[in-house]
Amino acid sequence: SLGTGDVERAYKDARVAYQLRSDVMHGSRSQNDEHLMVNAGFVHDLTRAAILGSLAVHDLLDARIGDARLASIARFYDETALRFEPLFKRLQGESKK
């Protein structure tokens, strides 16, 4: 089962990766910046975990309910997001500061 701490850590890690990407896209860092090179492994690991996690969800839905169609996957993510909506709102507020 997914706990609040797990979701909060994943959200914060994704914000770090997004900020690194934004820094390059908006020109505040070059793609050769040492800070980006130091964090490339972090982003790689985060991306790999996201891909493997999504495959696990696909497998879970297929095994548990026999339906891993795109609509079922989308519904699963929507329902999960609703469970953590207060946490997401708080984290979004914190990230804007």
Side-chain angles (χ1 to χ4, degrees):
S1 178
L2 200 55
T4 301
D6 299 323
V7 173
E8 185 168 353
R9 179 79 262 145
Y11 183 94
K12 288 180 177 181
D13 286 349
R15 289 290 309 167
V16 168
Y18 181 79
Q19 188 59 53
L20 291 167
R21 173 236 169 247
S22 294
D23 289 349
V24 172
M25 294 303 293
H26 299 293
S28 62
R29 291 187 187 272
S30 108
Q31 68 251 21
N32 299 320
D33 188 290
E34 185 177 338
H35 179 71
L36 294 176
M37 287 187 251
V38 167
N39 284 287
F42 162 77
V43 174
H44 172 270
D45 292 347
L46 183 65
T47 303
R48 182 182 58 207
I51 291 168
L52 293 174
S54 64
L55 289 171
V57 167
H58 185 278
D59 185 60
L60 171 81
L61 292 175
D62 189 43
R64 183 173 291 174
I65 64 172
D67 182 4
R69 292 174 300 142
L70 185 57
S72 296
I73 294 168
R75 187 172 42 258
F76 173 84
Y77 280 109
D78 288 344
E79 290 169 1
T80 301
L82 282 173
R83 271 183 41 216
F84 293 101
E85 187 174 13
L87 173 64
F88 291 146
K89 285 184 178 180
R90 178 178 62 81
L91 292 169
Q92 286 171 347
E94 289 174 8
S95 69
K96 289 179 183 177
K97 293 178 184 175

